[in-house]
Amino acid sequence: MKCGICSRESQKGHTLKLSKTERDYALKQTGEKPPDSFFYCTPCWRILQDKNKGAALIRSMMEVSLRAQGVPQASKIAQRMHAFLIEKARGPQS
Amino acid sequence: MTKYKLPIIIERHLGETQADRTRRALEFERDAISERPVSCKVGCSHCCYYPVVISPLEGLLAYRWLTTHGRWTPKQRTLLEEHSKLTASLDPTVWFLSGIACPLLDEKTRKCVAYEVRPLVCRLTMTWGMPDNCQASQYRTRSPLNQIPFRSVLNEFHKQETAFLKTHKVRITMLSLSKAILFAEQLASGSLDFNRLDLAVYTDYIGSQE
């Protein structure tokens, strides 16, 4: 199976299955039916599980992608995503 | 005093590797600076988040230095182990984009704790351009001036190391920096023989896939 992050073929890894709520939300936001599951190889999954490294990876990937598309505010948008992910990873604060 | 348990031929080659590495780095630096001043500054450390792979020989040099200069602490060892687990079999681009600091980077001072014995790839990584363009977020979009080309110098050095290691039945000649230093600990203590290094690395690799 192909890893969704590094695109390498791997036999071992982690598969994330979307719940019905998540599928419906993705369909509503993007207008396209999302994949039923996402596969990540073991090394990439290890990074995604780390709150800080995972957020940094998503931030960097987003910024690189936005820059490649010529979006001028790429850095700020990616930084906001990073802050959002870190806050979500922190969980609910009492 | 630490009792080294490596064969004499390896000990001698370590000395030669150290000298060769220094010579290549000084020549490269002299040639790079003669064109224009490099813009690297102490405390920048953007390149300390790059994937660094080195040979077991450079790992041994780093381990020796850390132990003889009192830097081989339990905390340092833990940082190396954590780094090794996190980066095991990791795709280099993913590694680069994940903000994983080199385990030898002191994140408070932004300096390398083993600067005197840093690997050749670190010695050759210099920039003429804007230092901020060395950040991971600038990947694929940064100015071509940013990294002074060094691949030919590094490849030549690795070719020599690989030739030497093959005479000792070692075929896995490049490891992540953390793994190279951790295996160096085993090699230097005598708990691992050089000619069993491949098997140890392979076993470690299989374990990291679980």
Side-chain angles (χ1 to χ4, degrees), chain A residues 5-6 8 10 12-13 41-44 46-47 50 52-54 56-61 63-64 67-68 75, chain B residues 84-94 96-101 136-141 207-210:
Chain A
I5 298 283
C6 66
R8 291 187 298 190
S10 178
K12 290 186 179 179
C41 66
T42 303
C44 288
R46 220 180 276 132
I47 297 294
D50 183 304
N52 294 313
K53 306 285 184 290
L57 173 62
I58 292 169
R59 181 202 185 286
S60 298
M61 285 171 69
E63 187 166 351
V64 167
R67 279 187 193 278
S75 184
Chain B
S84 175
K85 280 182 195 143
L86 197 58
T87 59
S89 309
L90 191 60
D91 177 81
T93 305
V94 175
F96 179 61
L97 295 174
S98 299
I100 301 171
S137 56
Q138 302 293 324
Y139 179 59
R140 285 190 183 151
T141 58
S208 75
Q209 297 299 301
E210 300 298 327

Side-chain angles (χ1 to χ4, degrees), chain B residues 75-144:
Chain B
K75 186 184 172 188
Q76 183 64 70
R77 198 178 191 284
T78 302
L79 282 171
L80 285 160
E81 281 177 341
E82 282 171 1
H83 184 271
S84 175
K85 280 182 195 143
L86 197 58
T87 59
S89 309
L90 191 60
D91 177 81
T93 305
V94 175
W95 180 338
F96 179 61
L97 295 174
S98 299
I100 301 171
C102 175
L104 299 180
L105 174 68
D106 182 330
E107 296 210 62
K108 283 184 193 161
T109 62
R110 316 303 299 170
K111 289 181 185 178
C112 179
V113 301
Y115 191 74
E116 286 176 36
V117 75
R118 65 199 186 285
L120 184 63
V121 65
C122 302
R123 294 178 184 218
L124 300 178
T125 301
M126 293 179 207
T127 178
W128 286 315
M130 297 274 293
D132 277 351
N133 286 351
C134 293
Q135 290 179 91
S137 56
Q138 302 293 324
Y139 179 59
R140 285 190 183 151
T141 58
R142 59 179 173 234
S143 159

Side-chain angles (χ1 to χ4, degrees), chain B residues 29-74:
Chain B
E29 199 175 315
R30 179 200 63 204
D31 292 344
I33 292 171
S34 71
E35 281 211 33
R36 67 196 90 176
V38 294
S39 49
C40 301
K41 290 189 174 86
V42 173
C44 169
S45 73
H46 288 321
C47 59
C48 299
Y49 290 80
Y50 291 7
V52 175
V53 288
I54 61 175
S55 73
L57 296 171
E58 285 202 283
L60 271 165
L61 288 172
Y63 171 73
R64 285 258 171 98
W65 191 91
L66 288 167
T67 49
T68 54
H69 290 75
R71 305 285 176 101
W72 188 251
T73 58

